[in-house]
Amino acid sequence: FRMNPLWVLFFSSLSFSVHAYEQAVGARGTIMCGHEPIANAEVKLMELDTWPDPDDLMASVYTDSQGHFQIQGHESELFQINPVVKIYHRCN
């Protein structure tokens, strides 16, 4: 098998032209059930990806006794990240 030198040059230049860059995001807030704060609710910061790449968990925290949370995370991606905050709680 003999490879054309032009193909080798093309593939080597292609591999150096693709670079991901670090992106960061954060959120803070208070989780309430009516007028009462929800303590110990799990808050996850996710980065949604398209198939076949699975979604990335960037961070996970729990609310304090007053329902407050602060979360931040980062991810290396080729394109702009698509962050979402997911809240897992029991309200009534």
Side-chain angles (χ1 to χ4, degrees):
F1 176 74
R2 188 180 134 133
M3 185 174 269
N4 184 330
L6 290 176
W7 281 108
V8 173
L9 179 61
F10 173 74
F11 285 123
S12 63
S13 66
L14 180 65
S15 66
F16 290 109
S17 65
V18 178
H19 296 287
Y21 61 99
E22 193 77 13
Q23 300 172 62
V25 65
R28 67 176 169 220
T30 304
I31 311 292
M32 304 288 286
C33 181
H35 296 290
E36 298 294 320
I38 300 179
N40 297 315
E42 186 176 17
V43 180
K44 291 183 178 182
L45 181 59
M46 306 288 296
E47 196 276 317
L48 301 182
D49 287 312
T50 55
W51 185 87
D53 189 18
D55 296 341
D56 301 309
L57 175 64
M58 293 192 287
S60 178
V61 298
Y62 288 88
T63 57
D64 65 14
S65 62
Q66 297 300 307
H68 300 295
F69 73 92
Q70 184 168 340
I71 192 167
Q72 57 190 23
H74 56 88
E75 187 68 29
S76 289
E77 292 283 340
L78 293 175
F79 303 105
Q80 184 173 350
I81 62 173
N82 186 16
V84 296
V85 173
K86 294 185 177 186
I87 302 166
Y88 302 88
H89 65 88
R90 291 202 179 269
C91 181
N92 297 330

Coordinates of all heavy atoms in Angstrom, one line a residue:
F1 N 0.9 -1.2 0.0 CA 0.0 0.0 0.0 C 0.9 1.2 0.0 O 1.8 1.4 0.8 CB -0.9 0.0 1.2 CG -1.7 1.2 1.4 CD1 -2.8 1.4 0.6 CD2 -1.4 2.1 2.4 CE1 -3.6 2.5 0.8 CE2 -2.2 3.3 2.5 CZ -3.3 3.5 1.7
R2 N 0.6 2.1 -0.9 CA 1.4 3.4 -1.0 C 0.4 4.6 -0.9 O -0.5 4.6 -1.7 CB 2.1 3.4 -2.3 CG 3.1 4.5 -2.4 CD 3.8 4.4 -3.8 NE 3.8 5.7 -4.4 CZ 4.8 6.2 -4.9 NH1 5.9 5.5 -5.0 NH2 4.8 7.4 -5.4
M3 N 0.7 5.5 0.0 CA -0.1 6.6 0.2 C 0.4 7.8 -0.5 O 1.6 8.1 -0.5 CB -0.3 7.0 1.7 CG -1.3 8.1 1.9 SD -1.5 8.3 3.7 CE -2.9 7.3 3.9
N4 N -0.4 8.6 -1.2 CA -0.1 9.8 -1.9 C 0.4 10.8 -0.9 O -0.3 11.1 0.1 CB -1.3 10.3 -2.6 CG -1.0 11.5 -3.5 OD1 -0.1 12.3 -3.2 ND2 -1.8 11.6 -4.6
P5 N 1.6 11.5 -1.0 CA 2.1 12.5 -0.1 C 1.1 13.6 0.1 O 1.1 14.2 1.2 CB 3.4 12.9 -0.7 CG 3.8 11.9 -1.7 CD 2.5 11.2 -2.1
L6 N 0.3 14.0 -0.9 CA -0.6 15.1 -0.7 C -1.7 14.8 0.3 O -2.1 15.6 1.1 CB -1.3 15.4 -2.0 CG -0.4 16.1 -3.1 CD1 -1.1 16.3 -4.4 CD2 0.2 17.4 -2.5
W7 N -2.1 13.5 0.4 CA -3.1 13.1 1.4 C -2.5 13.2 2.8 O -3.2 13.6 3.7 CB -3.6 11.7 1.1 CG -4.6 11.6 0.1 CD1 -4.5 11.1 -1.2 CD2 -6.0 12.1 0.1 NE1 -5.6 11.3 -1.9 CE2 -6.6 11.9 -1.1 CE3 -6.7 12.7 1.1 CZ2 -7.9 12.2 -1.4 CZ3 -8.0 13.0 0.9 CH2 -8.6 12.8 -0.4
V8 N -1.3 12.8 2.9 CA -0.6 12.9 4.2 C -0.5 14.3 4.7 O -0.8 14.6 5.9 CB 0.8 12.2 4.2 CG1 1.5 12.5 5.5 CG2 0.7 10.7 3.8
L9 N -0.2 15.2 3.8 CA -0.1 16.6 4.1 C -1.5 17.2 4.5 O -1.7 17.9 5.5 CB 0.4 17.4 2.9 CG 0.5 18.9 3.1 CD1 1.5 19.2 4.3 CD2 1.0 19.6 1.8
F10 N -2.6 16.8 3.8 CA -3.9 17.2 4.1 C -4.4 16.7 5.4 O -4.9 17.5 6.2 CB -4.9 16.7 3.0 CG -6.3 16.9 3.3 CD1 -6.9 18.2 3.2 CD2 -7.1 15.9 3.7 CE1 -8.2 18.5 3.5 CE2 -8.5 16.1 4.1 CZ -9.0 17.4 3.9
F11 N -4.2 15.5 5.8 CA -4.6 14.9 7.0 C -3.8 15.5 8.2 O -4.4 15.8 9.3 CB -4.5 13.4 7.1 CG -5.6 12.7 6.3 CD1 -5.3 11.9 5.3 CD2 -6.9 13.0 6.6 CE1 -6.3 11.2 4.6 CE2 -7.9 12.4 5.9 CZ -7.6 11.5 4.9
S12 N -2.5 15.8 8.0 CA -1.8 16.3 9.1 C -2.2 17.8 9.4 O -2.2 18.2 10.5 CB -0.3 16.2 8.9 OG 0.1 16.9 7.7
S13 N -2.5 18.5 8.3 CA -2.9 19.9 8.5 C -4.3 20.0 9.1 O -4.6 20.8 9.9 CB -2.8 20.7 7.2 OG -3.8 20.2 6.3
L14 N -5.2 19.0 8.8 CA -6.5 18.9 9.3 C -6.5 18.7 10.8 O -7.2 19.3 11.5 CB -7.3 17.8 8.6 CG -8.7 17.6 9.0 CD1 -9.6 18.9 8.7 CD2 -9.3 16.4 8.4
S15 N -5.6 17.8 11.2 CA -5.6 17.5 12.7 C -5.1 18.7 13.5 O -5.5 18.7 14.7 CB -4.7 16.3 12.9 OG -3.4 16.6 12.6
F16 N -4.4 19.6 13.0 CA -3.9 20.7 13.7 C -4.8 21.9 13.7 O -4.7 22.9 14.4 CB -2.5 21.1 13.3 CG -1.4 20.2 13.6 CD1 -0.8 19.4 12.6 CD2 -1.0 20.0 14.9 CE1 0.1 18.5 12.9 CE2 -0.1 19.0 15.3 CZ 0.5 18.3 14.3
S17 N -5.8 21.9 12.8 CA -6.7 23.0 12.7 C -8.0 22.9 13.6 O -8.7 23.8 13.6 CB -7.1 23.2 11.2 OG -7.9 22.1 10.8
V18 N -8.2 21.8 14.3 CA -9.3 21.6 15.1 C -8.9 21.8 16.6 O -8.1 21.0 17.1 CB -9.9 20.2 14.9 CG1 -11.1 20.0 15.8 CG2 -10.3 20.0 13.4
H19 N -9.4 22.9 17.2 CA -9.1 23.1 18.6 C -10.3 23.5 19.4 O -11.1 24.3 19.0 CB -8.1 24.3 18.7 CG -6.8 24.1 18.1 ND1 -5.8 23.3 18.6 CD2 -6.3 24.6 16.9 CE1 -4.8 23.2 17.8 NE2 -5.0 24.0 16.8
A20 N -10.5 22.8 20.5 CA -11.6 23.1 21.5 C -11.1 24.3 22.3 O -9.9 24.5 22.5 CB -11.9 21.9 22.3
Y21 N -12.0 25.0 22.9 CA -11.6 26.1 23.8 C -12.5 26.0 25.1 O -13.6 25.5 25.1 CB -11.7 27.5 23.2 CG -13.0 27.9 22.7 CD1 -13.8 28.8 23.5 CD2 -13.5 27.5 21.5 CE1 -15.0 29.2 23.0 CE2 -14.8 27.9 21.0 CZ -15.5 28.8 21.8 OH -16.7 29.2 21.4
E22 N -11.8 26.4 26.2 CA -12.5 26.3 27.5 C -13.5 27.4 27.6 O -13.3 28.6 27.4 CB -11.4 26.5 28.6 CG -11.8 26.1 29.9 CD -11.9 24.6 30.2 OE1 -11.3 23.8 29.3 OE2 -12.5 24.2 31.2
Q23 N -14.7 27.0 28.1 CA -15.8 27.9 28.3 C -16.3 27.7 29.8 O -16.4 26.6 30.2 CB -16.9 27.7 27.3 CG -16.4 27.9 25.9 CD -17.5 27.5 24.9 OE1 -18.6 28.1 24.9 NE2 -17.2 26.5 24.1
A24 N -16.7 28.8 30.4 CA -17.2 28.7 31.8 C -18.6 29.3 31.9 O -18.9 30.3 31.2 CB -16.2 29.3 32.7
V25 N -19.4 28.8 32.9 CA -20.7 29.4 33.2 C -21.0 29.1 34.6 O -20.4 28.2 35.3 CB -21.7 28.7 32.2 CG1 -21.9 27.3 32.5 CG2 -23.1 29.5 32.3
G26 N -21.9 29.9 35.2 CA -22.3 29.7 36.6 C -23.7 30.3 36.8 O -24.3 31.0 36.0
A27 N -24.3 29.9 37.9 CA -25.6 30.3 38.3 C -25.7 30.4 39.8 O -25.0 29.6 40.5 CB -26.7 29.4 37.7
R28 N -26.6 31.2 40.3 CA -26.9 31.2 41.8 C -28.4 31.6 41.9 O -29.0 32.2 41.1 CB -26.0 32.1 42.5 CG -26.2 33.5 42.3 CD -25.3 34.4 43.1 NE -25.3 35.7 42.6 CZ -24.3 36.5 42.6 NH1 -23.1 36.1 43.0 NH2 -24.4 37.7 42.1
G29 N -29.0 31.1 43.0 CA -30.4 31.4 43.2 C -30.9 30.8 44.5 O -30.1 30.3 45.3
T30 N -32.2 30.8 44.6 CA -32.9 30.3 45.7 C -34.0 29.4 45.2 O -34.8 29.9 44.4 CB -33.5 31.4 46.6 OG1 -32.4 32.2 47.0 CG2 -34.1 30.8 47.9
I31 N -34.1 28.2 45.7 CA -35.2 27.3 45.3 C -36.3 27.3 46.4 O -36.0 27.2 47.6 CB -34.7 25.8 45.2 CG1 -33.4 25.7 44.4 CG2 -35.8 24.9 44.7 CD1 -33.6 26.0 43.0
M32 N -37.5 27.6 45.9 CA -38.6 27.8 46.9 C -39.8 26.8 46.5 O -39.9 26.5 45.3 CB -39.2 29.2 46.8 CG -38.1 30.3 47.1 SD -37.6 30.4 48.8 CE -39.1 31.2 49.5
C33 N -40.5 26.4 47.5 CA -41.8 25.7 47.3 C -42.9 26.6 47.9 O -43.0 26.7 49.1 CB -41.7 24.4 48.0 SG -43.2 23.4 47.8
G34 N -43.5 27.3 47.1 CA -44.5 28.4 47.5 C -43.6 29.5 48.2 O -42.8 30.1 47.6
H35 N -43.9 29.7 49.5 CA -43.1 30.7 50.2 C -42.0 30.1 51.1 O -41.4 30.8 51.9 CB -44.1 31.5 51.1 CG -45.1 32.3 50.3 ND1 -44.7 33.4 49.5 CD2 -46.4 32.1 50.1 CE1 -45.8 33.8 48.9 NE2 -46.8 33.1 49.3
E36 N -41.8 28.8 51.0 CA -40.8 28.1 51.9 C -39.6 27.7 51.1 O -39.7 27.1 50.0 CB -41.4 26.8 52.5 CG -42.6 27.1 53.4 CD -42.2 27.9 54.6 OE1 -41.1 27.6 55.2 OE2 -43.0 28.8 55.0
P37 N -38.4 27.9 51.6 CA -37.2 27.5 50.9 C -37.1 25.9 50.9 O -37.5 25.3 51.9 CB -36.0 28.1 51.7 CG -36.6 28.4 53.0 CD -38.1 28.6 52.8
I38 N -36.5 25.4 49.9 CA -36.3 23.9 49.8 C -34.8 23.7 50.1 O -33.9 24.0 49.4 CB -36.6 23.3 48.4 CG1 -38.1 23.6 48.1 CG2 -36.3 21.9 48.4 CD1 -38.5 23.1 46.8
A39 N -34.6 23.0 51.3 CA -33.2 22.6 51.7 C -32.8 21.3 51.0 O -33.7 20.4 50.8 CB -33.1 22.5 53.2
N40 N -31.6 21.1 50.7 CA -31.0 19.8 50.2 C -31.6 19.4 48.8 O -31.6 18.2 48.5 CB -31.2 18.7 51.2 CG -30.5 18.9 52.5 OD1 -29.3 19.4 52.4 ND2 -31.1 18.7 53.6
A41 N -32.0 20.4 48.0 CA -32.4 20.1 46.7 C -31.1 20.0 45.9 O -30.2 20.8 46.0 CB -33.3 21.2 46.1
E42 N -31.0 19.0 45.0 CA -29.8 18.8 44.2 C -29.9 19.7 43.0 O -31.0 19.7 42.3 CB -29.6 17.4 43.8 CG -28.3 17.1 43.0 CD -28.1 15.7 42.7 OE1 -29.0 14.9 42.7 OE2 -26.9 15.4 42.4
V43 N -28.8 20.4 42.7 CA -28.8 21.3 41.5 C -27.6 20.8 40.6 O -26.5 20.7 41.1 CB -28.6 22.8 41.9 CG1 -28.5 23.7 40.7 CG2 -29.7 23.2 42.9
K44 N -27.9 20.5 39.4 CA -26.8 20.1 38.5 C -26.7 21.1 37.3 O -27.7 21.5 36.8 CB -27.2 18.7 37.9 CG -27.1 17.6 38.9 CD -27.4 16.2 38.2 CE -27.3 15.1 39.2 NZ -27.5 13.8 38.6
L45 N -25.4 21.3 37.0 CA -25.1 22.2 35.9 C -24.6 21.3 34.7 O -23.6 20.6 34.9 CB -24.0 23.2 36.2 CG -23.6 24.2 35.1 CD1 -24.7 25.0 34.6 CD2 -22.4 25.1 35.7
M46 N -25.4 21.2 33.7 CA -25.2 20.3 32.6 C -24.8 21.1 31.3 O -25.3 22.2 31.1 CB -26.4 19.4 32.3 CG -27.0 18.7 33.5 SD -26.0 17.3 34.0 CE -26.0 16.2 32.6
E47 N -24.1 20.4 30.4 CA -23.8 21.0 29.1 C -24.4 20.0 28.1 O -24.0 18.8 28.1 CB -22.3 21.1 28.9 CG -21.9 22.0 27.7 CD -21.9 21.3 26.4 OE1 -21.4 20.2 26.3 OE2 -22.5 21.9 25.4
L48 N -25.4 20.4 27.4 CA -26.1 19.6 26.5 C -25.4 19.4 25.2 O -24.9 20.4 24.6 CB -27.5 20.1 26.2 CG -28.5 20.3 27.4 CD1 -29.8 20.8 26.9 CD2 -28.6 19.0 28.1
D49 N -25.2 18.2 24.7 CA -24.5 17.9 23.5 C -25.5 17.2 22.5 O -26.5 16.7 22.9 CB -23.3 17.0 23.7 CG -22.2 17.7 24.4 OD1 -21.8 18.8 24.0 OD2 -21.6 17.2 25.4
T50 N -25.1 17.2 21.2 CA -25.9 16.5 20.2 C -25.4 15.1 20.1 O -24.2 14.8 20.4 CB -25.8 17.3 18.9 OG1 -24.5 17.4 18.5 CG2 -26.5 18.6 19.0
W51 N -26.2 14.2 19.7 CA -25.9 12.8 19.5 C -24.7 12.7 18.6 O -24.6 13.5 17.6 CB -27.1 12.1 18.9 CG -26.9 10.7 18.8 CD1 -27.1 9.7 19.8 CD2 -26.4 9.9 17.7 NE1 -26.8 8.5 19.3 CE2 -26.3 8.6 18.0 CE3 -26.0 10.3 16.4 CZ2 -25.9 7.6 17.1 CZ3 -25.5 9.3 15.5 CH2 -25.5 8.0 15.9
P52 N -23.7 11.9 18.7 CA -23.7 10.8 19.7 C -22.9 11.1 21.0 O -22.8 10.3 21.9 CB -22.9 9.7 19.0 CG -21.9 10.5 18.1 CD -22.6 11.7 17.7
D53 N -22.5 12.4 21.1 CA -21.7 12.8 22.3 C -22.7 13.0 23.5 O -23.7 13.7 23.4 CB -21.0 14.2 22.0 CG -20.1 14.6 23.1 OD1 -19.6 13.7 23.9 OD2 -19.7 15.8 23.1
P54 N -22.5 12.3 24.6 CA -23.4 12.4 25.7 C -23.3 13.8 26.4 O -22.3 14.4 26.3 CB -23.0 11.3 26.7 CG -21.5 11.0 26.3 CD -21.4 11.3 24.9
D55 N -24.4 14.2 27.1 CA -24.4 15.4 27.9 C -23.3 15.3 28.9 O -23.0 14.3 29.5 CB -25.7 15.7 28.5 CG -26.8 15.9 27.4 OD1 -26.5 16.2 26.3 OD2 -28.0 15.7 27.8
D56 N -22.7 16.5 29.3 CA -21.7 16.5 30.3 C -22.2 17.2 31.6 O -22.8 18.2 31.6 CB -20.5 17.4 29.7 CG -19.9 16.8 28.5 OD1 -19.6 15.7 28.4 OD2 -19.8 17.6 27.5
L57 N -21.8 16.5 32.7 CA -22.1 17.1 34.0 C -20.9 18.0 34.3 O -19.8 17.5 34.5 CB -22.3 16.0 35.1 CG -22.4 16.5 36.5 CD1 -23.7 17.2 36.7 CD2 -22.4 15.3 37.5
M58 N -21.2 19.3 34.5 CA -20.1 20.2 34.8 C -19.9 20.4 36.3 O -18.8 20.7 36.8 CB -20.4 21.6 34.1 CG -20.2 21.5 32.6 SD -20.2 23.1 31.8 CE -21.9 23.6 31.9
A59 N -21.1 20.3 37.1 CA -21.0 20.5 38.5 C -22.3 20.1 39.1 O -23.3 20.0 38.5 CB -20.7 22.0 38.9
S60 N -22.2 19.8 40.4 CA -23.4 19.4 41.2 C -23.3 19.9 42.6 O -22.2 19.8 43.2 CB -23.6 17.9 41.2 OG -24.7 17.5 41.9
V61 N -24.4 20.5 43.1 CA -24.4 21.1 44.5 C -25.7 20.8 45.1 O -26.7 20.5 44.4 CB -24.0 22.6 44.6 CG1 -22.6 22.9 44.0 CG2 -25.1 23.4 43.8
Y62 N -25.9 21.0 46.4 CA -27.1 21.0 47.1 C -27.4 22.3 47.7 O -26.5 23.0 48.1 CB -27.1 19.9 48.2 CG -27.1 18.5 47.7 CD1 -25.9 17.9 47.3 CD2 -28.3 17.8 47.5 CE1 -25.9 16.6 46.8 CE2 -28.3 16.5 46.9 CZ -27.1 15.9 46.6 OH -27.1 14.7 46.1
T63 N -28.7 22.7 47.8 CA -29.1 23.9 48.4 C -28.9 23.9 49.9 O -28.9 22.8 50.5 CB -30.6 24.2 48.1 OG1 -31.4 23.1 48.6 CG2 -30.9 24.4 46.7
D64 N -28.7 25.0 50.5 CA -28.5 25.1 52.0 C -29.8 25.1 52.6 O -30.9 25.0 52.0 CB -27.6 26.3 52.3 CG -28.2 27.6 52.0 OD1 -29.4 27.7 51.7 OD2 -27.5 28.6 52.0
S65 N -29.8 25.4 53.9 CA -31.1 25.3 54.7 C -32.1 26.4 54.3 O -33.3 26.3 54.6 CB -30.8 25.4 56.2 OG -30.1 26.7 56.5
Q66 N -31.6 27.5 53.7 CA -32.4 28.6 53.2 C -32.8 28.4 51.7 O -33.3 29.4 51.1 CB -31.7 29.9 53.4 CG -31.5 30.2 54.9 CD -32.8 30.2 55.7 OE1 -33.7 30.9 55.3 NE2 -32.9 29.4 56.7
G67 N -32.4 27.3 51.1 CA -32.7 27.1 49.7 C -31.7 27.7 48.7 O -31.9 27.7 47.5
H68 N -30.7 28.3 49.2 CA -29.7 29.0 48.3 C -28.7 28.0 47.7 O -28.3 27.0 48.3 CB -28.9 30.1 49.1 CG -29.7 31.1 49.8 ND1 -30.4 32.0 49.1 CD2 -29.9 31.4 51.1 CE1 -31.0 32.8 49.9 NE2 -30.7 32.5 51.1
F69 N -28.3 28.4 46.5 CA -27.2 27.6 45.8 C -26.4 28.5 45.0 O -26.8 29.6 44.6 CB -27.8 26.4 45.0 CG -28.5 26.9 43.7 CD1 -27.7 27.0 42.5 CD2 -29.8 27.3 43.7 CE1 -28.3 27.5 41.4 CE2 -30.4 27.8 42.5 CZ -29.7 27.8 41.4
Q70 N -25.2 28.1 44.7 CA -24.3 28.7 43.8 C -23.5 27.6 43.1 O -22.9 26.8 43.8 CB -23.3 29.7 44.5 CG -22.4 30.5 43.5 CD -21.7 31.6 44.2 OE1 -22.1 32.1 45.2 NE2 -20.7 32.1 43.5
I71 N -23.4 27.6 41.8 CA -22.8 26.6 41.0 C -22.0 27.2 39.9 O -22.5 28.2 39.3 CB -23.9 25.6 40.6 CG1 -23.2 24.3 40.0 CG2 -24.8 26.2 39.6 CD1 -24.2 23.1 39.9
Q72 N -20.9 26.6 39.5 CA -20.1 27.0 38.4 C -19.4 25.8 37.8 O -19.1 24.9 38.5 CB -19.2 28.1 38.7 CG -18.2 27.8 39.8 CD -17.4 29.0 40.3 OE1 -17.9 30.1 40.1 NE2 -16.3 28.8 40.8
G73 N -19.2 25.9 36.5 CA -18.5 24.8 35.8 C -17.8 25.3 34.6 O -18.1 26.4 34.1
H74 N -17.1 24.4 33.9 CA -16.4 24.7 32.7 C -16.3 23.5 31.8 O -16.4 22.3 32.3 CB -15.0 25.3 32.9 CG -14.1 24.4 33.7 ND1 -13.3 23.4 33.2 CD2 -14.0 24.3 35.1 CE1 -12.7 22.8 34.1 NE2 -13.1 23.3 35.3
E75 N -16.2 23.7 30.5 CA -16.2 22.6 29.6 C -15.3 23.0 28.3 O -15.4 24.2 27.9 CB -17.6 22.3 29.1 CG -17.7 21.1 28.3 CD -17.4 19.8 29.0 OE1 -17.6 19.7 30.2 OE2 -17.0 18.8 28.3
S76 N -14.6 22.1 27.8 CA -13.9 22.4 26.5 C -14.7 21.8 25.4 O -15.0 20.6 25.3 CB -12.5 21.6 26.5 OG -11.6 22.3 27.4
E77 N -15.1 22.7 24.5 CA -15.9 22.3 23.3 C -15.4 23.1 22.1 O -14.8 24.2 22.2 CB -17.4 22.7 23.5 CG -18.1 21.9 24.6 CD -18.4 20.5 24.2 OE1 -18.5 20.2 22.9 OE2 -18.7 19.6 25.0
L78 N -15.7 22.5 20.9 CA -15.4 23.2 19.7 C -16.3 24.4 19.4 O -15.8 25.4 18.8 CB -15.5 22.2 18.5 CG -14.5 21.1 18.5 CD1 -14.8 20.1 17.3 CD2 -13.1 21.6 18.3
F79 N -17.5 24.2 19.7 CA -18.5 25.3 19.5 C -19.0 25.8 20.8 O -18.7 25.3 21.9 CB -19.7 24.7 18.7 CG -19.2 24.1 17.4 CD1 -19.2 22.7 17.2 CD2 -18.8 24.9 16.3 CE1 -18.7 22.2 16.0 CE2 -18.4 24.4 15.1 CZ -18.3 23.0 15.0
Q80 N -19.9 26.8 20.8 CA -20.5 27.4 22.0 C -21.2 26.4 22.8 O -22.0 25.5 22.2 CB -21.4 28.5 21.6 CG -22.0 29.3 22.8 CD -22.8 30.5 22.3 OE1 -22.8 30.9 21.2 NE2 -23.5 31.1 23.3
I81 N -21.0 26.4 24.1 CA -21.7 25.4 25.0 C -23.1 25.7 25.1 O -23.6 26.9 24.9 CB -21.0 25.3 26.4 CG1 -21.0 26.6 27.1 CG2 -19.6 24.8 26.2 CD1 -20.5 26.6 28.5
N82 N -23.9 24.7 25.5 CA -25.3 24.8 25.7 C -25.6 24.4 27.1 O -26.0 23.3 27.4 CB -26.1 24.0 24.7 CG -27.6 24.2 24.7 OD1 -28.1 25.1 25.3 ND2 -28.3 23.2 24.2
P83 N -25.4 25.3 28.1 CA -25.6 24.9 29.5 C -27.0 25.0 30.0 O -27.8 25.8 29.5 CB -24.8 26.0 30.2 CG -24.9 27.2 29.4 CD -24.9 26.7 27.9
V84 N -27.4 24.1 30.9 CA -28.7 24.1 31.5 C -28.5 23.7 33.0 O -27.6 23.1 33.4 CB -29.7 23.0 30.9 CG1 -30.0 23.4 29.5 CG2 -29.1 21.6 31.0
V85 N -29.4 24.3 33.8 CA -29.4 24.0 35.2 C -30.6 23.0 35.5 O -31.8 23.3 35.1 CB -29.6 25.2 36.1 CG1 -29.8 24.9 37.6 CG2 -28.4 26.1 35.9
K86 N -30.4 21.9 36.1 CA -31.4 20.9 36.4 C -31.6 20.9 37.9 O -30.6 20.8 38.6 CB -31.1 19.5 35.9 CG -31.1 19.5 34.4 CD -30.9 18.1 33.8 CE -30.9 18.1 32.3 NZ -30.9 16.7 31.8
I87 N -32.8 20.9 38.4 CA -33.1 21.0 39.8 C -33.9 19.8 40.2 O -35.0 19.5 39.6 CB -33.8 22.3 40.2 CG1 -33.0 23.5 39.8 CG2 -34.2 22.3 41.7 CD1 -33.8 24.8 39.8
Y88 N -33.4 19.0 41.2 CA -34.1 17.8 41.7 C -34.6 18.1 43.1 O -33.8 18.3 44.0 CB -33.1 16.6 41.6 CG -32.6 16.4 40.2 CD1 -31.5 17.0 39.8 CD2 -33.3 15.5 39.4 CE1 -31.0 16.8 38.5 CE2 -32.7 15.3 38.1 CZ -31.6 15.9 37.7 OH -31.1 15.7 36.4
H89 N -35.9 18.1 43.3 CA -36.5 18.4 44.6 C -37.8 17.7 44.9 O -38.3 17.1 44.0 CB -36.7 20.0 44.6 CG -37.8 20.4 43.6 ND1 -39.1 20.4 43.9 CD2 -37.7 20.8 42.3 CE1 -39.8 20.8 42.9 NE2 -38.9 21.0 41.9
R90 N -38.3 17.9 46.1 CA -39.6 17.4 46.5 C -40.3 18.6 47.0 O -39.9 19.2 48.0 CB -39.5 16.4 47.5 CG -38.9 15.1 47.0 CD -39.4 13.9 47.9 NE -38.9 12.7 47.5 CZ -39.5 11.9 46.6 NH1 -40.7 12.2 46.1 NH2 -39.0 10.7 46.2
C91 N -41.4 19.0 46.3 CA -42.3 20.1 46.7 C -43.7 19.6 46.9 O -44.3 19.3 45.8 CB -42.2 21.2 45.7 SG -43.1 22.7 46.2
N92 N -44.1 19.4 48.1 CA -45.5 18.8 48.3 C -45.5 17.4 47.8 O -46.2 17.0 47.0 CB -46.6 19.6 47.8 CG -46.6 21.0 48.4 OD1 -46.3 21.1 49.6 ND2 -47.1 22.0 47.7

